[in-house]
Amino acid sequence: MSASVLIAVTHLLGSGHLVRAANLARALVQGGFSVTLASGGMPLRAMEDEPFAFVQLPPIRTEGTDFRTLLDENGQPIDPERRTTRIAMLEELAARLRPDVVIVEHFPFGRRQLAAEFLALIAAAKSARPEALVLSSVRDVLVTPRPDRIAEAEDRIAGMFDAVLVHGDADFLPLDRSWPVGEGLAAKLRYTGYLADDRPAGIALENGEVIVSGGGSAAALPLFACAVAAARLDRSGRRWRILAGRGMAEADLGLLAADAPEKVVIERARPDFPALLAGCAVSISQAGYNTVLDLVAAGRPAIVVPFDAGNETEQTVRAEAMERAGLARCFRLSGDFVGDAVALADAVGEAMGAQPPALPIDRDGAARSAAIVKELLAGIAGRARH
């Protein structure tokens, strides 16, 4: 009988946390585990065809950079009943599945507002199976909070977690670029490599376009507005294609389209995005985890414009690492709309025809994640025998 894994994730703004958790779930299934993924964010797409079991909790989300106010699917602040229901569903899953491994995504390094849920899940899993392995799963870059919150997170890691899966490459972007890593935490870190979607991307759709993308949220609206203005200045005759995520309001897309020149196509994100990207002339995007992996896989000239509103630093740290490695140019919006549009148009012109270097980052996170979990389980079994 295969070992069972229960993964809990809640994405609040974009869809990156859920996409990465789903990639991890697929990797563990391929590694021989039986996996259930419980998602507490807004539904992203149908999950019936996935190789893992999927459970949708009553969803919550945030708006803009206000991560303290949790909203329901209708944009209203959640009530205590929704919190209670979510905790009860997680506890029931843990009691029924009795997982060998519990993986919580981003906690305790973030998601403090959901601490009660994750702590209840861990407690229920340990009650059902005392020897259960408890892991945290984090991306390559974290947002550094106040010192007291760093101490709280590290106390929880020390007392509750067997290890931390860091889905990144220590040589390219070590965790201590964004989070202070002391001796105790360092001993629990397990770098997996970047966790990419290993499903076939399809044949490159050679289009010669400037592809502008912004992840799943509405946070890319300033970038899209700048791209429309830059396209108007571009004299190359190339088509610009803007791909908006589900979190972008129809009204905002309508305003963009009304202001766009004829050579600009504005549409929702497409399932063939990797193939489009692989055939583009230049990519302009934000610097989210999954977007960066798509850029590296595509191997086309890229400009990354990190989202940095509300003191967000994650994408800036990653974008600067990409620029140091020669993978992309890091472009910052200054707030001067006209100046930014001129500078972005110039950057696109400079990027035309440039070739990024060979892949300098470890993208084998799928296979290595499964191998690390197996090693950790074997270590627990060995200690139990002795």
Side-chain angles (χ1 to χ4, degrees):
M1 184 175 179
S2 60
S4 61
V5 180
L6 175 56
I7 303 174
V9 57
T10 291
H11 56 291
L12 293 176
L13 185 58
S15 58
H17 291 275
L18 177 57
V19 171
R20 187 167 52 255
N23 289 344
L24 176 59
R26 284 188 216 100
L28 292 173
V29 169
Q30 191 168 1
F33 292 93
S34 171
V35 182
T36 299
L37 173 61
S39 172
M42 292 293 290
L44 178 60
R45 55 172 176 77
M47 294 284 190
E48 290 82 1
D49 295 333
E50 293 288 359
F52 52 83
F54 182 78
V55 176
Q56 176 66 58
L57 306 179
I60 58 175
R61 64 181 179 88
T62 57
E63 195 167 284
T65 56
D66 179 9
F67 289 96
R68 293 174 297 178
T69 305
L70 300 177
L71 308 174
D72 63 18
E73 58 269 41
N74 299 314
Q76 299 301 310
I78 63 170
D79 54 32
E81 183 180 354
R82 181 163 295 221
R83 288 184 180 272
T84 301
T85 300
R86 288 166 59 93
I87 289 174
M89 289 180 68
L90 289 171
E91 289 177 328
E92 188 278 332
L93 273 175
R96 175 167 51 86
L97 297 175
R98 300 183 68 247
D100 298 284
V101 184
V102 175
I103 301 177
V104 294
E105 201 277 338
H106 203 44
F107 182 78
F109 298 92
R111 297 291 184 266
R112 292 182 70 258
Q113 66 275 59
L114 301 177
E117 294 183 5
F118 292 118
L119 295 175
L121 170 62
I122 292 169
K126 282 291 192 179
S127 177
R129 188 184 293 275
E131 71 276 18
L133 192 68
V134 179
L135 306 177
S136 175
S137 164
V138 298
R139 64 196 177 202
D140 56 344
V141 181
L142 297 169
V143 176
T144 309
R146 302 189 317 242
D148 60 320
R149 294 181 178 177
I150 293 173
E152 178 186 62
E154 295 193 352
D155 284 347
R156 285 171 169 164
I157 289 292
M160 302 179 191
F161 290 81
D162 295 283
V164 178
L165 303 178
V166 183
H167 302 301
D169 180 341
D171 293 329
F172 172 69
L173 186 52
L175 195 65
D176 61 14
R177 290 266 178 87
S178 58
W179 186 283
V181 177
E183 185 177 341
L185 177 58
K188 293 199 173 185
L189 298 184
R190 303 290 188 275
Y191 283 90
T192 69
Y194 280 86
L195 192 58
D197 187 343
D198 60 358
R199 292 175 296 183
I203 299 173
L205 297 176
E206 296 293 340
N207 51 72
E209 298 176 339
V210 177
I211 299 290
V212 187
S213 59
S217 76
L221 187 58
L223 169 59
F224 290 169
C226 184
V228 167
R232 190 175 291 108
L233 300 172
D234 177 21
R235 304 304 179 197
S236 70
R238 293 183 185 276
R239 184 165 56 230
W240 290 52
R241 186 179 300 275
I242 294 176
L243 299 170
R246 289 189 177 189
M248 188 76 67
E250 286 290 341
D252 289 333
L253 288 185
L255 290 174
L256 281 174
D259 188 46
E262 186 176 348
K263 65 180 177 181
V264 176
V265 176
I266 299 175
E267 60 184 345
R268 291 290 181 185
R270 296 165 37 164
D272 61 351
F273 173 68
L276 275 175
L277 200 62
C280 74
V282 177
S283 166
I284 304 172
S285 70
Q286 293 186 310
Y289 183 97
N290 297 299
T291 300
V292 165
L293 291 180
D294 287 335
L295 293 177
V296 172
R300 292 299 173 106
I303 299 168
V304 287
V305 186
F307 172 69
D308 58 6
N311 298 317
E312 285 289 310
T313 58
E314 173 221 338
Q315 292 198 11
T316 299
V317 171
R318 189 179 296 113
E320 290 173 348
M322 292 188 72
E323 186 167 69
R324 284 193 299 271
L327 288 172
R329 173 176 175 176
C330 178
F331 183 94
R332 305 290 294 276
L333 295 177
S334 70
D336 174 5
F337 185 79
V338 174
D340 285 341
V342 171
L344 184 59
D346 289 344
V348 169
E350 293 168 4
M352 292 288 184
Q355 290 296 324
L359 302 184
I361 64 175
D362 181 357
R363 297 177 68 250
D364 193 28
R368 194 164 293 118
S369 292
I372 289 171
V373 175
K374 287 179 181 179
E375 289 170 6
L376 291 168
L377 277 175
I380 287 179
R383 289 196 298 272
R385 286 194 297 270
H386 295 88

